[in-house]
Amino acid sequence: MSLALDPVLVEPAFRLVARTIEDKILSGEIAPGDLLPSEAGLAEKLGVNRSTIREAIRVLEQNGFVKREAGRKKLYASIPHSGDISKRLTAAMVLHQVTFEELWEAMYALEPAAAASAAHRSDAEDVQDLERNLEATRKALKDSTSLTELDIEFHDLVARATRNRAIQMARMPISELFYPPFLKVMSRLNAGERLLVAHEAIHSAIRDHDEKRAREWMEKHILDFKRGYELANLDMATPVDMPEK
Amino acid sequence: MSLALDPVLVEPAFRLVARTIEDKILSGEIAPGDLLPSEAGLAEKLGVNRSTIREAIRVLEQNGFVKREAGRKKLYASIPHSGDISKRLTAAMVLHQVTFEELWEAMYALEPAAAASAAHRSDAEDVQDLERNLEATRKALKDSTSLTELDIEFHDLVARATRNRAIQMARMPISELFYPPFLKVMSRLNAGERLLVAHEAIHSAIRDHDEKRAREWMEKHILDFKRGYELANLDMATPVDMPEK
C-alpha cells in the first residue's frame, strides 16, 4: 500500500481551515457578531502557519462568513448576504447559457405563488409601497428605462410581501435576468398600459388579501410576458445575457 | 473637500483583481478552459504585487472561476459549479432561520411546475431512471434512511427531466433542506406506502407525457408533506437545520 496521497484528494490547508471555521458558524458554535481570535491566535490554536490563516480568512471574508471593521484588524463572524450568493447564481446561469424559455418557466411557477403568498401576509406598508410604485409607473408609460426599473421593483415588492425567504432567494437570480430583456420587447410593443392594468389588479388583490385573485392575475401577467416575446418574433430558446448595470 | 477616501469604500487590491478576471469570464472575453497567464505574468500585466495576484487567484479558485490541475501551476478559466453556489444558499437559509413553512411554500410552487415540465420533456432514459428509483423504493418501505435518500433522488430525477436549469438551480438549495426533516416525520407516520403511490402516479404521468396529471399528482404529494407534518404535531414555524451528511 502506497503512503502517497492522491493529489486530487489533498485539500490545501487554507481551505481546510476556512471550512473548519465555516462549519463552526453554520452549527451555531460561533454566532454571527462573535469576535474571532486574532490571526496569530488562530494560527497557534489550529497549528498552522500564519500565512495559511491569512488565506483562509480571505476566503471566509469573500464568502461573507467573516467581517472586519474598515481599517481594523479585529475579525467578527458573520452571515453571508443572500444577495451576494444570488449574484453568483445569476452568473452561473449566464455562463451555462440558460435560455429565456427556462427562466420564463421558472417565473411562471414562482411569481403566481409569490402573489398568493403576498395576498396572505401583506401589511399596510407593503400595500402603500406597491401604490407608490404604481403611481410612478403611470407617469413612466412612455419611458422604457424607468418602466423596466419600476417593473423589477413591483415584482420585488410582491416578493418582499410574502415574508418568505425561500421564495425570495429562489426567484432573486432568475428575476435579475428575466425582466430587463423582456421590457425591451414590451416597450417595442408599447405594452406599458397592459402591464399597468395587470400590476393594478395584482395590487388590489394583495390589498384585499384575495389569494386566488392575486395568483390568477399574476399568472395572466407572466403569460403575457411570453406572448409579448413571441409577438416581437423573438426566439425563446436564445441564451440570456448578463444584465447591464 | 478631503482627499482621504472613506475606508469602507476602499476595496482591497486582490478583490479588484479577482473581479477584473471574473468579469472577463462572465463577458466571454475569457472562455472556460482558456489557459490564464502565470501568476508572474498577471502581476506584470495588472501592475500589482505577486502576493495580490496569489490572493485573487485563491478567491477565484474558491468561487469556481479558476481551476488548476492537481500539483500543477497552470491556471485555467472555469465555470462555477452551480452545486457549490447552491450549498452556500442552503447555508444562508439555515443561518437566516428560514422555517419549514417557508420551504414548503416554495416547494409547493416549484415541484408541480417541475413535474409538468418533466412530463413535457422527459425521454426514455428519464422514465427508466424513475422506474429504477421506484423499484428500490418498493423494497425500502420499512427503512426510513433509504426511503429518505430515494425520495430526494426521485424529486431530483424529476427536476433533471425538466431540462430546465433555472428550475433546477432554484429548487436545489430548498430541496436540500426540505426532504430530510420531513422523511423523519413520514417514517413515524408509516407513510411510505402513501409516498410510493404518489411517486408511481407521477412517474406514469411523466411517462405518458401528461403534464396536467403530473402537475396534479405532484401538488397532492406536496400537500401531503404538509399534512404529515401537522399530523405529527410538528410546528411548521420551526427553523430548519443543516442536514447531516
Side-chain angles (χ1 to χ4, degrees):
Chain A
M1 199 194 211
S2 162
L3 279 175
L5 288 169
D6 180 346
V8 179
L9 295 175
V10 179
E11 198 174 14
F14 80 93
R15 221 173 269 175
L16 277 172
V17 169
R19 191 130 52 79
T20 304
I21 296 173
E22 195 178 309
D23 283 348
K24 283 184 196 297
I25 295 170
L26 288 177
S27 69
E29 200 182 318
I30 302 175
D34 279 2
L35 186 64
L36 294 178
S38 65
E39 282 183 12
L42 283 168
E44 204 194 318
K45 209 168 178 177
L46 297 168
V48 294
N49 287 332
R50 208 161 146 181
S51 63
T52 303
I53 295 291
R54 206 164 157 231
E55 286 183 51
I57 285 169
R58 290 299 193 208
V59 167
L60 288 165
E61 274 191 282
Q62 186 73 11
N63 294 334
F65 283 104
V66 164
K67 294 254 179 275
R68 66 173 90 218
E69 285 171 58
R72 303 253 174 142
K73 290 224 158 181
K74 280 186 181 173
L75 303 169
Y76 296 90
S78 174
I79 291 185
H81 192 280
S82 51
D84 295 339
I85 310 167
S86 175
K87 272 180 209 136
R88 298 215 183 109
L89 263 185
T90 304
M93 285 199 270
V94 172
L95 288 168
H96 287 284
Q97 306 200 289
V98 167
T99 66
F100 187 80
E101 186 170 23
E102 287 171 270
L103 291 183
W104 180 83
E105 206 172 62
M107 288 310 257
Y108 190 60
L110 286 166
E111 293 299 76
S117 173
H120 182 53
R121 297 206 187 82
S122 66
D123 60 20
E125 202 190 316
D126 295 318
V127 173
Q128 270 170 25
D129 287 342
L130 287 170
E131 266 155 29
R132 258 192 295 273
N133 174 282
L134 289 177
E135 197 47 57
T137 303
R138 279 179 207 112
K139 287 175 189 151
L141 288 182
K142 272 153 195 157
D143 171 2
S144 67
T145 308
S146 302
L147 210 55
T148 307
E149 282 162 15
L150 288 162
D151 183 46
I152 294 173
E153 188 193 63
F154 180 86
H155 288 268
D156 284 349
L157 287 171
V158 171
R160 201 193 64 191
T162 64
R163 309 276 183 276
N164 184 321
R165 279 93 35 103
I167 288 180
Q168 286 159 6
M169 289 187 201
R171 68 178 288 289
M172 215 188 297
I174 301 170
S175 71
E176 182 106 4
L177 296 170
F178 184 73
Y179 294 104
F182 184 72
L183 245 287
K184 280 183 202 152
V185 180
M186 284 298 265
S187 59
R188 272 183 226 158
L189 294 177
N190 229 340
E193 290 279 1
R194 201 172 162 85
L195 176 142
L196 179 61
V197 168
H199 283 194
E200 279 172 339
I202 293 162
H203 158 263
S204 80
I206 289 174
R207 182 196 59 207
D208 302 345
H209 300 294
D210 187 335
E211 294 178 43
K212 191 165 167 283
R213 185 150 47 93
R215 178 190 294 276
E216 283 169 1
W217 266 101
M218 185 63 94
E219 239 170 55
K220 269 193 225 182
H221 181 44
I222 303 290
L223 271 173
D224 254 7
F225 272 67
K226 194 179 186 176
R227 263 186 229 123
Y229 224 76
E230 288 162 350
L231 276 174
N233 270 324
L234 285 162
D235 187 358
M236 297 276 288
T238 307
V240 287
D241 292 319
M242 204 63 183
E244 283 158 37
K245 280 282 154 85
Chain B
M1 198 195 211
S2 162
L3 279 175
L5 288 169
D6 181 345
V8 179
L9 295 176
V10 180
E11 197 172 15
F14 79 92
R15 222 172 269 174
L16 277 172
V17 169
R19 194 130 52 78
T20 303
I21 296 172
E22 196 177 309
D23 284 348
K24 282 185 196 296
I25 295 171
L26 288 177
S27 69
E29 200 182 319
I30 303 176
D34 279 2
L35 187 64
L36 294 178
S38 65
E39 281 183 13
L42 283 168
E44 205 194 317
K45 207 168 179 175
L46 297 167
V48 295
N49 286 332
R50 204 157 150 182
S51 64
T52 303
I53 295 291
R54 206 165 157 228
E55 285 182 51
I57 285 169
R58 291 298 193 208
V59 167
L60 289 164
E61 274 192 284
Q62 188 72 13
N63 293 334
F65 283 105
V66 165
K67 294 256 177 273
R68 68 173 89 217
E69 285 170 59
R72 302 253 174 142
K73 292 224 157 180
K74 281 187 181 173
L75 302 169
Y76 297 89
S78 174
I79 290 184
H81 192 279
S82 52
D84 296 339
I85 311 168
S86 174
K87 272 182 208 136
R88 298 219 182 103
L89 263 185
T90 304
M93 286 199 270
V94 171
L95 288 167
H96 287 285
Q97 306 200 289
V98 167
T99 66
F100 187 80
E101 188 170 21
E102 287 171 271
L103 290 183
W104 181 83
E105 208 172 61
M107 288 311 257
Y108 190 59
L110 286 166
E111 292 299 76
S117 173
H120 182 54
R121 297 208 187 82
S122 66
D123 60 21
E125 202 190 317
D126 295 318
V127 173
Q128 269 171 24
D129 286 342
L130 286 170
E131 265 156 29
R132 259 192 294 274
N133 173 282
L134 289 177
E135 196 48 56
T137 304
R138 279 178 206 114
K139 286 174 190 153
L141 289 181
K142 272 154 194 154
D143 172 2
S144 66
T145 307
S146 302
L147 211 54
T148 307
E149 284 161 15
L150 288 163
D151 184 45
I152 294 172
E153 189 193 64
F154 180 86
H155 288 267
D156 285 349
L157 287 172
V158 171
R160 200 192 66 190
T162 65
R163 308 278 183 277
N164 183 321
R165 278 92 37 102
I167 287 180
Q168 286 160 5
M169 288 188 200
R171 69 178 287 288
M172 214 189 295
I174 302 170
S175 71
E176 183 106 1
L177 296 168
F178 184 74
Y179 294 104
F182 183 73
L183 246 287
K184 280 184 202 150
V185 179
M186 283 299 264
S187 59
R188 273 185 225 157
L189 294 176
N190 229 340
E193 290 278 2
R194 200 171 162 85
L195 175 142
L196 179 61
V197 169
H199 282 194
E200 280 171 339
I202 293 161
H203 158 262
S204 81
I206 289 174
R207 183 198 57 208
D208 303 344
H209 300 294
D210 187 333
E211 293 178 43
K212 191 164 169 282
R213 183 149 51 93
R215 178 188 294 275
E216 283 170 0
W217 265 101
M218 184 63 95
E219 239 171 54
K220 269 194 226 184
H221 181 44
I222 303 290
L223 271 173
D224 253 9
F225 272 68
K226 194 178 187 179
R227 262 186 230 123
Y229 224 77
E230 288 162 350
L231 276 174
N233 269 324
L234 285 162
D235 187 358
M236 295 277 289
T238 307
V240 287
D241 293 318
M242 204 64 186
E244 285 158 37
K245 279 283 152 84

